[in-house]
Amino acid sequence: HIAKANPADVDTLLTQAFVDDASKTMSDLVSEATVAIGEKISIRRFARYETTGVVSTYIHMGGKVGVLVEVSTDKQDDEIKVFAHDLALQIAAAKPEAVRREEVDAAKLEKEKEILRAQAINEGKPEKIVDRMVEGRIEKYYKEVCLLEQPFVKDPDINVTKMLGGKADVVRFVRFERGEGLEKRQDNLAADIAAEQAKMKK
């Protein structure tokens, strides 16, 4: 439905007519699924990519993890489709946070540097070598969080860039995991309730 209807957000999606049965809205479908399954179902987020390259998807563990990846390429052959699918598997398994170094969240990177610096100092390392140690550990951090630098899950002796071999380039990806972000929402709710109670006591 999302691919055809191009909704801007979840609220818009829910009001749209279902593409396979215009007599029902997407909200109707969610309600019917809730009744059929006997558990509350809600749509929290979605992604939609439109490209002249290749888009591949991967669903893991019965829907626990879902991945969408876009690859830029002039080719549309089976080899490229296999590459794109392997990338989706990689993203599901290795949980990268960015495609390349330039896309790593700057605030998160600075926080990581602070932590690594404090660790090196706590280990009793001389101040003059702390910066070099942090630099080395940040290189390792990039290999963990940047998709193109991660060891390829099907062959850890090469990284994802070597696996692609210049035949395609990764444009973007999204990785959804069931329940992801709900803990934070609950924490925020608890904080909101505590703040309300504090107001009432005044």
Side-chain angles (χ1 to χ4, degrees), residues 10 42-46 177-183 185:
V10 172
S42 61
I43 300 173
R44 289 179 45 232
R45 55 201 167 146
F46 66 86
E177 188 164 341
R178 190 187 307 146
E180 191 176 55
L182 288 177
E183 307 85 1
R185 280 183 170 187

Side-chain angles (χ1 to χ4, degrees), residues 120-189:
I121 290 168
N122 287 342
E123 289 169 9
K125 305 295 181 193
E127 186 71 32
K128 61 185 177 185
I129 68 162
V130 166
D131 287 339
R132 277 200 314 252
M133 285 183 66
V134 168
E135 207 172 287
R137 290 176 181 177
I138 284 296
E139 284 297 312
K140 186 178 176 208
Y141 174 75
Y142 280 133
K143 288 176 182 160
E144 291 170 5
V145 302
C146 297
L147 173 63
L148 295 177
E149 298 190 35
Q150 289 180 330
F152 179 40
V153 290
K154 287 187 170 181
D155 182 359
D157 291 335
I158 62 170
N159 66 18
V160 172
T161 297
K162 284 188 180 165
M163 179 276 285
L164 288 169
K167 295 174 186 166
D169 190 28
V170 183
V171 177
R172 57 190 167 163
F173 69 86
V174 65
R175 181 185 186 279
F176 292 140
E177 188 164 341
R178 190 187 307 146
E180 191 176 55
L182 288 177
E183 307 85 1
K184 189 172 183 182
R185 280 183 170 187
Q186 288 168 354
D187 290 346
N188 290 348
L189 179 61

Side-chain angles (χ1 to χ4, degrees), residues 5-64:
N6 194 18
D9 53 41
V10 172
D11 291 337
T12 305
L13 171 68
L14 292 172
T15 61
Q16 289 180 336
F18 179 41
V19 292
D20 291 339
D21 181 353
S23 70
K24 295 179 181 177
T25 65
M26 291 301 295
S27 185
D28 294 334
L29 284 183
V30 171
S31 297
E32 287 173 12
T34 298
V35 171
I37 294 170
E39 287 192 37
K40 174 98 172 92
I41 295 174
S42 61
I43 300 173
R44 289 179 45 232
R45 55 201 167 146
F46 66 86
R48 177 185 184 274
Y49 291 165
E50 190 170 336
T51 183
T52 56
V54 172
V55 172
S56 188
T57 61
Y58 177 64
I59 305 294
H60 185 61
M61 295 175 67
K64 186 173 182 204

